[in-house]
Amino acid sequence: MSSLATEPAAPPASVSSPPRPRRRRRLPTVPWLLLSASILILGVLTGYPVVRMLVMSFQEYERAQVMGMPAEWVGFDNYTAILTDSAFWAVLGRSILFMLVAVVLTMVLGTLIALLMMRLGKGLRLLVSVGLLLAWSMPPLSSTTIWGWIFDTQYGLVNNLLTRFTGERWFGHSWLLDPLGFFTILTFIIVWGAIPFVAFTMYAGLSQIPGEVLEAAQLDGAGAFARFRLVMLPYVRTIVTVLVVLSMIWDLKVFPQVYALQDIGGDRQKTNTIGVYIYQMGMGQGHFGTASAIAFVFVAIMLLLSIYYVRRTMKEEEL
Amino acid sequence: MTTTTIGRPVTVTRPPVRKPARWASRRARGIALTIVTWIAVLAFFFPVVWMVFTAFKPESQAATLPPTFAPDFTIDRFQAAFDRDMVPYLINSASASIGSTLLVLALAVPAAYALSIRPVKNVRDPLFFLISTKFMPVAASIIPVYMLLQAVGGLDNITWLTILYVGINLPIAVWMMRSFLAEVPREVIEAAQIDGAGLRTEIFRVVLPIVLPGVAAAGLICFIFAWNEFFLANLLTTQVARTTPPVLGSFVDGRGQFLSILSAASTIAIVPVVIAGWVAQKQLVRGLAMGAIK
């Protein structure tokens, strides 16, 4: 992949056909110009809230301050309050654990489905694609409601089937009240909704691999797993990095599904994830200073984690 | 899964003399593949199909014990959803989604080019900056955004919502486009450059056609994200610029009598996504057919 691409701009000597206007040595500023619009837009769109929140996180900022009351500076009070609050650490640990499980499941299952799609005939592949597309198109709130119905305490499909097949009475069994059950179902909903994106993207990436490369590996006697690990994976490594990083971010910050599922019947205290926790602290209870401080602690953790991960994987595929 | 069952290389050069054993194992593999496929198909179709099915039930039969499989089919709930003024909300959703997706792609392709094919120095820094803008939880940054929009009169305004969606989707699109551009064979680009292709020709005539599947995938993710975005839309719009997801949320009133109308409204809401997916899918397939450029 990138090994082919390492030759910078050194043209083979033979192509020095004289008069043709050679455009190879273009200004080094051109790439920066191409990049600048995106950087600028994102800089403004994130810069403004970040600065405001940074200020807020050192203030006592409540509803009254939003209305115009002058805010009082409290130094690191918001931060010490969070960092010594066991509830915060519980939420954080829960969110990270959930994220890890969800990301691994999403990546593994999504990749398997992409590989499956490569092997299927036209008809079945179309069927799988349509199914993925349908799942992907579901608004999170609707899919949460539907899954909530499937696992409903009273008239849910799962309890219904279990009662029918085990002979025991499952009606009235709540899947959501127990935090473990809640998170199992949440993982189900999130992974179900996240697989299509991963599967489609992996499929698009895998289909860019030249057929000859795979055939050559096959002729060399590489087994299916070896072909995947040694031939396919290096080709799609950048794509895998992107998918992992994005999935991590999404699953850590997951919001509507948790919120809706808690509404259906979960113990908020025991099932809060970081996004919902910040929301309740800020928009819910009006402790905007504290909410901002939590957000910054969270961002700091994300930076630490991702600097390590992103740097490491990018070094491997350095251009 | 299927990949691990048999590692036997399949000879491509000559049709193998089918020994019975090999033939049987191949057949077993084929059956396993089919079974797995159908399980996957079922898992992805079922909730959606059930939702569409529920949308045609009267509210009283939506959640019953046991489930009603032969309901009194009715389009009454679709009627009710439209009576609650779905159309303007759908139009709002469409303009925010299509607008932000087009803007994002227009910005992301050049940016990704500058991060892969002709990279700036220290590619990692801008890349990292882009993705780090996604670390901030929206649940927290909503507060200053809300106050800012209030100050400039941007609340309940579809243009502002579109701009925010650009900010949310742009890093994803750049990262994705970059990973696709990185796979473009360097020789193809060099050949174009030697032929005297300008930057514009190079991007639009050489690079873009090759990465069209990637553009389709990135565009689709941006569109779907914006179309289904709930959080910002719920807090920053009220009436004029209200989009579909918060409206779906308003159907959920917690009293148990909303399943059919929610299903009907959701069914209406997924139609445009399926159409968009169909368009993107065609590009994906066309890109596949073009795989021959390698």
Side-chain angles (χ1 to χ4, degrees):
Chain A
M1 174 177 62
S2 44
S3 59
L4 288 175
T6 28
E7 272 97 340
S14 57
V15 279
S16 49
S17 45
R20 193 168 278 171
R22 293 276 298 282
R23 311 277 222 96
R24 312 206 64 186
R25 304 215 170 276
R26 273 167 294 204
L27 296 169
T29 49
V30 170
W32 278 114
L33 281 177
L34 294 175
L35 198 54
S36 56
S38 296
I39 300 269
L40 201 70
I41 288 176
L42 282 170
V44 172
L45 281 179
T46 39
Y48 175 78
V50 163
V51 171
R52 277 301 295 267
M53 286 166 66
L54 196 65
V55 172
M56 252 185 235
S57 73
F58 292 105
Q59 292 175 330
E60 190 182 333
Y61 209 99
E62 308 278 313
R63 290 228 169 82
Q65 277 71 32
V66 177
M67 297 304 171
M69 281 262 288
E72 195 183 319
W73 293 92
V74 291
F76 283 93
D77 278 9
N78 285 329
Y79 287 93
T80 43
I82 301 155
L83 294 175
T84 53
D85 183 1
S86 61
F88 167 73
W89 293 107
V91 167
L92 190 67
R94 201 180 291 140
S95 301
I96 292 178
L97 196 67
F98 165 75
M99 177 273 282
L100 288 176
V101 173
V103 168
V104 168
L105 280 176
T106 308
M107 287 305 298
V108 169
L109 293 174
T111 309
L112 286 176
I113 288 180
L115 289 169
L116 182 73
M117 283 168 74
M118 308 250 324
R119 291 207 172 191
L120 291 177
K122 224 178 175 182
L124 273 181
R125 181 162 67 212
L126 187 70
L127 198 64
V128 174
S129 314
V130 173
L132 289 174
L133 185 61
L134 285 176
W136 194 8
S137 65
M138 281 283 263
L141 216 77
S142 311
S143 66
T144 311
T145 309
I146 298 289
W147 283 107
W149 168 82
I150 290 176
F151 287 98
D152 190 86
T153 315
Q154 292 306 325
Y155 47 79
L157 189 65
V158 171
N159 282 356
N160 195 343
L161 288 175
L162 281 173
T163 306
R164 195 162 292 178
F165 287 112
T166 61
E168 285 170 51
R169 269 189 66 85
W170 283 85
F171 299 115
H173 176 83
S174 169
W175 295 92
L176 295 173
L177 216 55
D178 169 38
L180 190 66
F182 181 94
F183 275 99
T184 310
I185 293 169
L186 183 66
T187 310
F188 217 91
I189 298 172
I190 299 284
V191 171
W192 182 81
I195 282 179
F197 169 61
V198 172
F200 276 128
T201 313
M202 283 297 283
Y203 180 63
L206 290 173
S207 61
Q208 278 196 12
I209 300 174
E212 310 92 68
V213 177
L214 292 176
E215 275 168 30
Q218 208 163 38
L219 288 175
D220 285 346
F225 184 67
R227 280 209 301 280
F228 174 71
R229 198 172 61 87
L230 299 171
V231 184
M232 291 180 170
L233 214 50
Y235 261 96
V236 291
R237 182 180 285 148
T238 32
I239 294 173
V240 172
T241 309
V242 175
L243 290 176
V244 169
V245 171
L246 287 179
S247 304
M248 283 170 69
I249 292 173
W250 283 329
D251 290 347
L252 264 179
K253 299 199 306 184
V254 54
F255 184 88
Q257 291 92 336
V258 185
Y259 204 77
L261 208 56
Q262 286 178 338
D263 264 352
I264 295 173
D267 184 340
R268 282 189 194 276
Q269 291 300 319
K270 290 181 187 156
T271 54
N272 270 346
T273 55
I274 195 83
V276 180
Y277 187 66
I278 292 176
Y279 178 76
Q280 284 170 359
M281 193 61 85
M283 299 303 274
Q285 300 167 23
H287 305 308
F288 299 114
T290 322
S292 302
I294 300 173
F296 276 105
V297 174
F298 176 74
V299 169
I301 294 170
M302 289 294 283
L303 282 173
L304 285 176
L305 288 177
S306 56
I307 282 178
Y308 173 73
Y309 179 76
V310 172
R311 298 250 145 185
R312 201 182 55 108
T313 45
M314 284 202 177
K315 198 165 280 170
E316 282 172 16
E317 50 118 350
E318 200 43 81
L319 294 151
Chain B
M1 177 179 66
T2 48
T3 42
T4 50
T5 42
I6 302 153
R8 202 163 295 172
V10 187
T11 332
V12 204
T13 40
R14 197 184 317 150
V17 188
R18 283 193 175 161
K19 290 175 194 151
R22 168 174 292 192
W23 185 80
S25 74
R26 269 228 199 153
R27 203 180 144 74
R29 182 161 63 173
I31 292 172
L33 201 68
T34 314
I35 292 174
V36 170
T37 309
W38 282 103
I39 291 176
V41 167
L42 197 69
F44 284 103
F45 269 97
F46 175 72
V48 186
V49 169
W50 190 262
M51 180 188 81
V52 176
F53 185 58
T54 307
F56 287 99
K57 291 178 180 179
E59 208 66 78
S60 60
Q61 295 177 352
T64 53
L65 176 72
T68 318
F69 288 103
D72 311 324
F73 278 100
T74 170
I75 55 163
D76 171 62
R77 297 287 84 193
F78 286 95
Q79 198 67 54
F82 279 118
D83 283 348
R84 288 224 221 161
D85 263 348
M86 281 282 284
V87 178
Y89 304 130
L90 287 166
I91 293 173
N92 282 338
S93 280
S95 45
S97 316
I98 297 172
S100 65
T101 303
L102 292 179
L103 267 170
V104 163
L105 288 180
L107 289 164
V109 172
Y113 178 87
L115 290 169
S116 56
I117 290 175
R118 194 129 52 80
V120 294
K121 264 190 188 172
N122 303 326
V123 180
R124 271 192 262 163
D125 296 334
L127 264 182
F128 192 75
F129 166 74
L130 289 175
I131 205 69
S132 69
T133 62
K134 294 214 62 76
F135 292 167
M136 184 56 81
V138 195
S141 54
I142 183 77
I143 302 153
V145 167
Y146 187 93
M147 294 194 304
L148 174 71
L149 291 191
Q150 199 171 33
V152 300
L155 286 175
D156 205 12
N157 180 321
I158 202 71
T159 311
W160 276 101
L161 196 64
T162 309
I163 293 171
L164 291 178
Y165 288 169
V166 170
I168 289 175
N169 280 335
L170 186 55
I172 304 172
V174 175
W175 266 60
M176 282 185 66
M177 283 318 304
R178 173 188 172 270
S179 64
F180 284 106
L181 288 181
E183 312 295 332
V184 175
R186 191 52 61 111
E187 304 88 329
V188 177
I189 295 164
E190 280 177 2
Q193 288 178 345
I194 290 166
D195 286 349
L199 183 64
R200 199 175 305 165
T201 319
E202 189 185 318
I203 292 186
F204 285 103
R205 308 288 289 275
V206 181
V207 175
L208 263 189
I210 299 180
V211 294
L212 217 51
V215 177
L220 190 61
I221 176 78
C222 294
F223 178 83
I224 294 184
F225 177 85
W227 183 267
N228 280 339
E229 202 283 328
F230 173 79
F231 191 83
L232 291 175
N234 190 35
L235 291 170
L236 299 178
T237 67
T238 44
Q239 184 56 44
V240 184
R242 200 74 161 161
T243 58
T244 325
V247 176
L248 295 180
S250 68
F251 286 139
V252 184
D253 59 9
R255 294 265 225 72
Q257 287 292 310
F258 57 83
L259 213 51
S260 285
I261 192 167
L262 176 69
S263 298
S266 306
T267 305
I268 299 166
I270 64 173
V271 171
V273 184
V274 173
I275 294 171
W278 195 248
V279 174
Q281 174 76 10
K282 278 194 166 159
Q283 293 301 324
L284 286 173
V285 173
R286 194 183 301 166
L288 271 181
M290 281 192 344
I293 16 150
K294 302 285 161 60

